[in-house]
């Protein structure tokens, strides 16, 4: 007989697992992430459908210490993460991403929680809490659910309420003093209603050390929570309410001064004696006395309903999400005020999706539509009083409104016992509007500078007040900039799947994807800098093979792909006649990407498991394409790779488990990932080269009876020195943002 959750709560709360500051999943036996192939998500066996998806279960995520979306690069070949100059995350699949500093930069890789959209990467900080699995789909998406996209999609599938009482915790501490605690409690409130509550807290762990004084930073202060209620009033109907939140007060990562770009006499002499170059991952610097911290609060509510009508299943997904942030960071890697940044912003999004799916003999089908409305504010407040710029700071303020709706359909038909054909179609209608201006930051220096420029260009006196809008229009007068565009487009997909026998499957697909256009958030002295990037489109060709041995001890998946791009969006530069190269969004008229992936999972001996994955990606700008490189020099960029697109990405893990008596099991494991060189910007500039690096993690532990696990872990075992990004955003310096140094610690987990 099931015991209602509310009757068990007083007892459960007294257990050690739930007495911790926060509670979390205990480790289940880790199993490798499988690359499975699925075309339709229509309820068929995912091992037997066509299209490349990698799934990672909760045990794998817990065992490898993956708590943020950025950590997925340890396990997913072809997936890479970059932090932008101002801290916004950028996710890339198979070399396809969209690097921009803006909070509201529409991503090439779409993100979801239970198929409800997380429209921008900055909203996903708490998405990894209490999951059942993560699904990573590669290539253009949009004919099945959600948003249109060119690079792929990541769906975070949450753990749902259980039919019996369950709870767990997972806590760790490392040598820097970083603590993490996570946990859940789940069970029935009645025969038809279940509840699941989960939370995670991360705190402490200063891992960065100042170059010029006795100071540290880099600690976390992050809290995330989720409440899920599931109501099943009948065998046909289910209603799921998912309430998520996170709060982030962590330190912003500081940069490391890599090189000095200018030799202006206006620069402080101490800049030229500041330590330069690669000095280990802990070295960094920042302006003393400034609170460079994140300050973000996010809430999301998702209401998902399903109803079985016999031959069809109706699914409705309604969601609301809201983010308010005011992050601050030092983006110049020194103790001077060369480029200190605040990024205030606000995002409010409403989304609704309705779809129906079903089967009729050899035909599986899906039809649906969605609607989304966004209102956003994105700001950029920069102080550079000690730089070579002729004024001391700017305050950019921008607003956007986006409204879109789409209709989509997908079907697959079994032509014979071994041959299946698939087709999908999507129509999207999107309207996006922008208004914004870069203001003088209040001290009057920027207003005075642009007043002189405007007066010289117009031939008459122009006076801009302190703190006022200072962006110059086409008539060289200060004015707020307004822009809008409408994009109506078709996306489609076709595929063929061949399964000659059990355990052997081949497929081929061709698809067209589309990514939304984008307005930038940047310090703009000229209205032309706010020109949007046009929408990008891609036609993608892919063929793959999947083999599984009859005994289940060997799985092999391989795929090759070719992407033909039009108007690929990149972060580039334009030239301001007074201050030189400044940021802008650009479109590459024609480009392409090709490559392949392979994944192997094997159990060569009892208790011994091996997984490995490799992704090879070659991108190329097809010429001619004349634009500015990362240092503001005009050149023909034809033949170059996309920035932040490594050719090779390798991942692998080896684990051995053995019985240790009395219900105990011991284990040791090593996980590694490798990225080949890439460049942080256009122009293939040596100083902006991100060197190749390999990161190795190791763990050893034991599971005990009654659900306990104890583990020792090491992250970055070899203390590899590597950069997550190299930035040219500051006017006078080039800044390297280092990866984390070696850390080691203890992890305890328990599950009831």
């Amino acid at each position: 007989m099931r015991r209602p959750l509310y009757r068990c709560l007083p007892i459960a709360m007294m257990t050690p697992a739930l007495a911790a500051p926060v509670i979390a999943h205990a480790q289940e036996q880790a199993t490798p992430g499988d690359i499975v192939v699925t075309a339709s998500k229509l309820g068929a066996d995912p091992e037997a459908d066509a299209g490349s998806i990698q799934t990672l279960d909760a045990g794998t995520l817990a065992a490898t210490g993956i708590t943020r979306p950025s950590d997925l690069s340890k396990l997913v070949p072809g997936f890479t993460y970059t932090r932008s100059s101002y801290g916004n995350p950028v996710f890339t699949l198979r070399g396809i991403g969209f690097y921009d500093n803006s909070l509201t930069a529409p991503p090439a890789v779409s993100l979801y929680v239970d198929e409800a959209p997380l429209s921008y990467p900055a909203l996903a900080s708490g998405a990894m809490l209490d999951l059942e699995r993560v699904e990573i789909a590669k290539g253009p998406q949009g004919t099945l659910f959600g948003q249109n996209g060119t690079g792929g999609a990541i769906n975070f599938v949450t753990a749902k309420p259980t039919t019996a009482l369950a709870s767990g915790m997972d806590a760790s501490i490392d040598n820097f003093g970083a603590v993490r605690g996570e946990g859940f409690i789940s069970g029935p409130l009645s025969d038809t209603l279940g509840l699941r509550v989960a939370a995670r807290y991360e705190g402490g762990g200063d891992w960065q050390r100042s170059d010029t004084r006795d100071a540290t930073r880099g600690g976390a202060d992050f809290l995330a929570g989720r409440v899920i209620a599931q109501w099943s009033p009948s065998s046909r109907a289910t209603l799921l309410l998912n309430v998520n939140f996170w709060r982030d007060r962590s330190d912003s990562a500081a940069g490391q001064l890599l090189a000095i770009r200018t030799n202006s006499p206006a620069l402080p002499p101490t800049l030229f004696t500041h330590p330069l170059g690669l000095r280990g991952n802990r070295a960094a610097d920042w302006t003393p006395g400034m609170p460079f911290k994140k300050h973000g609060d996010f809430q999301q509510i998702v209401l998902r309903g399903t109803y079985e009508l016999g031959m069809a299943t109706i699914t409705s997904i309604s969601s609301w999400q809201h983010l308010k942030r005011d992050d601050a960071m030092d983006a110049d890697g020194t103790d001077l005020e060369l480029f200190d940044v605040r990024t205030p912003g606000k995002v409010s999004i409403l989304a609704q999706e309705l779809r129906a799916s079903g089967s009729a003999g050899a035909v599986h089908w899906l039809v649906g539509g969605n609607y989304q409305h966004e209102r956003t504010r994105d700001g950029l407040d920069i102080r550079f009083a000690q730089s070579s710029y002729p004024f001391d700071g700017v305050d950019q303020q921008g607003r956007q409104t986006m409204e879109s709706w789409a209709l989509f359909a997908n079907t697959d038909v079994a032509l014979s016992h071994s041959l299946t054909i698939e087709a999908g179609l999507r129509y999207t209608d999107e309207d996006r509007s922008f208004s914004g201006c870069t203001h003088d930051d209040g001290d009057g220096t920027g207003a005075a500078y642009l007043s002189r420029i405007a007066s010289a260009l117009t031939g008459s006196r122009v006076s801009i007040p302190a703190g006022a809008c200072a962006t110059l229009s086409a008539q060289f007068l200060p004015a707020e900039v307004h822009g809008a565009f409408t994009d109506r487009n078709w996306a489609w997909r076709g595929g063929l799947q061949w399964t000659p026998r059990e355990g052997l499957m081949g497929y081929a697909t061709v698809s067209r994807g589309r990514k939304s256009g984008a307005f930038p958030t940047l310090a703009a002295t000229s209205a032309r800098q706010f020109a949007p990037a046009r929408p990008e489109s891609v036609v993608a060709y892919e063929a793959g093979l999947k083999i599984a041995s009859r005994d289940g001890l060997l799985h092999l998946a391989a795929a090759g792909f070719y992407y033909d791009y039009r108007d690929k969006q990149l972060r580039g530069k334009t030239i301001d006649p007074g201050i030189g190269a400044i940021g802008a969004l650009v479109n590459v008229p024609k480009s392409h990407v090709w490559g392949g992936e392979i994944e192997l999972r094997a159990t060569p001996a009892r208790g011994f498991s091996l997984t490995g994955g490799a992704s090879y990606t070659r991108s190329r700008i097809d010429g001619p394409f004349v634009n500015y490189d990362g240092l503001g020099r005009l050149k023909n960029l034809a033949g170059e790779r996309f920035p932040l697109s490594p050719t090779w990405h390798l991942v692998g893990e080896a684990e051995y488990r053995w019985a240790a008596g009395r219900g105990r099991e011991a284990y040791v494991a090593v996980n590694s990932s490798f990225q080949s060189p890439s460049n942080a910007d256009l122009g293939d500039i040596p100083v902006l080269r991100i060197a190749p690096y390999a990161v190795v993690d190791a763990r050893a532990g034991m599971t005990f009876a009654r659900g306990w696990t104890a583990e020792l872990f090491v992250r970055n075992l070899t203390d590899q020195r590597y950069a997550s990004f190299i930035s040219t955003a500051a006017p006078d310096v080039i800044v390297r943002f280092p990866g984390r140094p070696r850390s080691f610690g203890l992890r305890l987990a328990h599950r009831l």
Side-chain angles (χ1 to χ4, degrees):
M1 179 178 178
R2 291 182 297 181
R3 302 179 67 185
L5 178 61
Y6 66 84
R7 294 182 181 177
C8 302
L9 278 173
I11 300 173
M13 291 179 68
M14 293 188 292
T15 66
L18 300 181
V22 292
I23 51 179
H25 265 310
Q27 177 189 6
E28 299 176 354
Q29 179 171 333
T31 56
D34 303 340
I35 291 183
V36 297
V37 285
T38 176
S40 60
K41 292 184 184 287
L42 298 178
D45 179 6
E47 291 280 350
D49 288 338
S52 183
I53 287 186
Q54 183 165 350
T55 62
L56 303 170
D57 62 29
T60 301
L61 299 172
T64 49
I66 292 179
T67 59
R68 298 291 181 96
S70 57
D71 296 333
L72 292 172
S73 61
K74 296 181 180 181
L75 297 176
V76 181
F79 175 85
T80 56
Y81 155 77
T82 301
R83 64 169 312 283
S84 73
S85 297
Y86 307 150
N88 287 317
V90 178
F91 302 131
T92 300
L93 278 169
R94 292 177 171 173
I96 304 304
F98 178 44
Y99 176 85
D100 189 26
N101 294 321
S102 306
L103 167 65
T104 52
V109 178
S110 304
L111 305 173
Y112 303 89
V113 170
D114 290 339
E115 298 181 356
L118 290 166
S119 300
Y120 302 107
L123 308 183
S125 295
M128 298 290 292
L129 172 66
D130 192 34
L131 296 181
E132 175 186 315
R133 66 185 184 276
V134 179
E135 302 170 337
I136 303 98
K138 301 174 182 180
Q141 306 294 318
T143 63
L144 299 169
F145 70 94
Q147 302 168 305
N148 214 345
T150 50
I154 301 175
N155 185 34
F156 303 98
V157 181
T158 61
K160 305 304 189 294
T162 51
T163 57
L165 178 66
S167 64
M169 59 81 67
D170 194 325
S172 65
I173 185 169
D174 72 9
N175 58 300
F176 291 112
V179 296
R180 181 181 65 85
E182 180 177 337
F184 77 95
I185 183 168
S186 175
L189 294 174
S190 70
D191 289 340
T192 60
L193 180 63
L195 184 70
R196 189 179 186 105
V197 180
R200 176 193 298 148
Y201 177 73
E202 300 171 13
D206 283 6
W207 60 277
Q208 295 192 293
R209 192 164 48 201
S210 171
D211 281 325
T212 56
R213 61 196 183 279
D214 184 15
T216 60
R217 65 177 296 105
D221 183 2
F222 180 82
L223 176 66
R226 176 177 293 135
V227 179
I228 296 182
Q230 181 170 303
W231 182 45
S232 301
S234 71
S235 59
R236 291 188 172 190
T238 300
L239 195 63
L240 190 77
L241 176 65
N242 185 340
V243 180
N244 300 282
F245 79 90
W246 56 258
R247 186 216 67 176
D248 197 354
R249 303 292 186 268
S250 306
D251 290 345
S252 299
Q256 186 179 92
L257 182 61
L258 184 63
I260 299 173
R261 296 171 56 184
T262 61
N263 194 25
S264 169
L267 292 170
T270 55
L271 173 62
F272 299 97
T273 61
H274 196 286
L276 288 174
L278 308 181
R279 305 180 301 285
N281 285 0
R282 293 201 68 183
D285 219 346
W286 56 94
T287 308
M290 299 295 291
F292 294 116
K293 287 185 174 292
K294 300 177 183 179
H295 196 286
D297 295 278
F298 174 76
Q299 304 88 35
Q300 182 189 41
I301 300 174
V302 180
L303 184 63
R304 180 189 181 103
T306 58
Y307 189 77
E308 302 288 343
L309 285 177
M311 293 187 63
T313 299
I314 308 299
T315 301
S316 171
I317 305 173
S318 308
S319 67
W320 170 84
Q321 53 191 312
H322 178 80
L323 170 70
K324 184 177 181 180
R325 77 168 191 186
D326 192 358
D327 295 353
M329 67 173 296
D330 188 307
D332 57 57
T334 74
D335 58 346
L336 304 170
E337 196 177 48
L338 297 179
F339 213 69
D340 295 352
V341 180
R342 280 183 54 242
T343 55
K346 185 183 293 186
V347 174
S348 292
I349 301 172
L350 286 170
Q352 173 63 51
E353 179 162 313
L354 183 65
R355 64 177 187 255
S357 61
S359 301
V363 179
H364 300 276
W365 57 270
L366 178 150
V367 295
N370 59 34
Y371 171 82
Q372 189 160 315
H373 184 272
E374 302 179 4
R375 298 181 67 87
T376 66
R377 291 178 177 267
D378 198 5
L380 192 59
D381 186 355
I382 311 176
R383 291 290 300 176
F384 36 77
Q386 294 179 279
S387 76
S388 64
Y389 274 3
F391 49 97
D392 293 345
V394 295
D395 181 11
Q396 155 65 20
Q397 300 174 21
R399 302 178 301 278
Q400 291 191 48
T401 300
M402 192 281 290
E403 188 172 47
S404 70
W405 61 270
L407 299 174
F408 53 87
N410 204 88
T411 184
D412 61 67
V413 181
L415 302 179
S416 68
H417 74 280
S418 61
L419 192 63
T420 300
I421 191 170
E422 180 207 355
L425 190 65
R426 178 189 181 97
Y427 177 77
T428 302
D429 186 304
E430 176 185 326
D431 293 294
R432 189 178 292 266
S433 63
F434 167 85
S435 60
C437 186
T438 299
H439 294 67
D440 173 87
D441 72 347
D443 68 1
T445 58
Y449 168 76
L450 286 169
S451 294
R452 293 193 297 271
I453 296 295
S455 299
L457 292 173
T458 61
S460 59
R461 179 176 172 80
V462 177
S463 180
I464 302 173
C469 172
T471 299
L472 300 183
S473 68
Q475 291 74 41
F476 309 114
L477 296 174
E480 186 172 71
V481 178
H482 298 273
F485 64 80
T486 297
D487 182 33
R488 299 182 177 92
N489 65 82
W490 291 92
W492 44 262
R493 176 185 174 91
L496 194 66
Q497 173 195 336
W498 179 55
T499 311
R501 63 169 177 81
E502 184 180 358
L504 176 62
M505 188 271 291
Y507 68 90
T509 63
V510 58
S511 57
R512 182 180 191 269
R514 182 85 161 180
K515 178 190 171 301
S516 172
F519 287 95
T521 299
L522 41 76
T525 58
S526 169
R528 69 176 183 273
Q529 288 179 256
F530 286 127
R534 298 185 301 275
E536 71 181 30
S537 62
V538 61
V539 176
Y541 306 87
E542 181 173 337
L545 181 70
K546 185 175 178 67
I547 302 171
S549 64
R550 297 186 186 277
D551 57 11
L553 299 180
L554 178 67
H555 295 260
L556 176 69
F561 54 88
Y562 180 88
Y563 295 167
D564 185 11
Y565 259 95
R566 295 294 184 273
D567 287 328
K568 181 75 182 76
Q569 299 168 355
L570 294 176
R571 176 85 174 197
K573 295 185 184 296
T574 188
I575 299 298
D576 181 283
I579 59 179
I582 47 181
L585 294 180
V586 299
N587 288 93
V588 178
K590 194 174 186 309
S591 56
H592 69 269
V593 180
W594 66 273
E597 291 173 348
I598 189 168
E599 189 261 355
L600 176 69
R601 176 163 50 94
T603 308
R606 182 181 179 88
F608 185 45
S609 62
L610 291 172
T611 62
S615 174
Y616 178 83
T617 304
R618 295 289 292 183
S619 58
R620 179 184 170 91
I621 295 174
D622 298 324
F625 177 60
V626 178
N627 212 282
Y628 297 99
D629 69 11
L631 296 181
R633 300 171 300 195
L634 191 66
K635 61 185 297 187
N636 186 359
L637 300 171
E640 290 198 4
R641 294 181 297 169
F642 295 162
L644 304 169
S645 178
T647 301
W648 285 100
H649 182 212
L650 312 177
V651 298
E653 178 170 292
E655 182 183 65
Y656 181 60
R657 289 177 172 264
W658 68 95
R662 298 184 179 180
R664 294 172 297 187
E665 184 180 57
Y667 62 90
V668 293
V670 177
N671 173 275
S672 64
S673 61
F674 168 80
Q675 289 188 32
S676 63
S678 63
N679 208 274
D681 213 326
L682 293 168
D684 199 21
I685 301 167
V687 74
L688 301 183
R689 179 179 182 265
I690 299 176
Y693 64 89
V695 176
V696 179
D697 298 342
R699 61 185 186 272
M702 184 173 293
T703 62
F704 300 86
R706 302 179 184 272
W708 284 97
T709 297
E711 177 182 283
L712 297 173
F713 63 84
V714 182
R715 313 284 188 223
N716 193 2
L717 177 65
T718 63
D719 203 21
Q720 171 75 63
R721 298 182 180 186
Y722 67 101
S724 61
F725 184 57
I726 297 174
S727 171
T728 60
D732 303 299
V733 295
I734 296 173
V735 181
R736 174 185 185 263
F737 290 96
R740 287 180 174 266
R742 178 172 52 220
S743 63
F744 53 88
L746 172 67
R747 172 175 171 257
L748 293 174
H750 184 234
R751 184 172 184 126
L752 293 176

